Amino acid sequence: MDEKHFEELWEQEERQGLQRRLQQEYPAWQQRRRMRRTALASVAVVLVAGFSVFNFHFSTPKSYDSVTCNRNGIAEGHWAAEASRILTIETL
């Protein structure tokens, strides 16, 4: 047996060993990958839900008892809406 043939056989056995190892470990790797994806998706959903609830809590309309303005002839609802718009723009 010459050295070249020996090297080819050695590489072939090495490849087959690696192939068997990969075939055995693939299901476990795939399961870990699925679990990581599920965990990441769950965290993303929780973050989005938390952010939405947090924003909803602060964006609920608050009723005003009265609005005082030194300009006559403009409805109180206009000033309440304008104040709400200004405050919303500044918080964004």
Side-chain angles (χ1 to χ4, degrees):
M1 179 183 287
D2 63 343
E3 192 173 320
K4 184 178 179 183
H5 185 63
F6 176 78
E7 289 292 326
E8 288 175 2
L9 288 175
W10 184 271
E11 288 176 5
Q12 182 181 2
E13 286 298 318
E14 212 172 51
R15 276 193 306 270
Q16 287 176 353
L18 287 173
Q19 185 179 14
R20 274 189 303 259
R21 190 177 125 222
L22 287 174
Q23 285 174 343
Q24 290 170 352
E25 293 179 3
Y26 182 73
W29 173 83
Q30 198 173 28
Q31 184 179 8
R32 285 190 309 267
R33 181 178 176 211
R34 230 180 281 122
M35 287 178 63
R36 277 193 303 262
R37 281 184 173 177
T38 303
L40 183 62
S42 300
V43 168
V45 166
V46 167
L47 286 175
V48 167
F51 184 73
S52 298
V53 168
F54 182 74
N55 277 345
F56 178 74
H57 175 69
F58 290 110
S59 68
T60 54
K62 296 181 174 49
S63 61
Y64 296 96
D65 294 333
S66 65
V67 176
T68 306
C69 178
N70 62 354
R71 296 186 73 183
N72 293 333
I74 299 176
E76 290 181 2
H78 167 75
W79 293 114
E82 192 65 25
S84 175
R85 185 186 65 77
I86 290 170
L87 291 173
T88 304
I89 289 171
E90 289 182 10
T91 58
L92 293 176

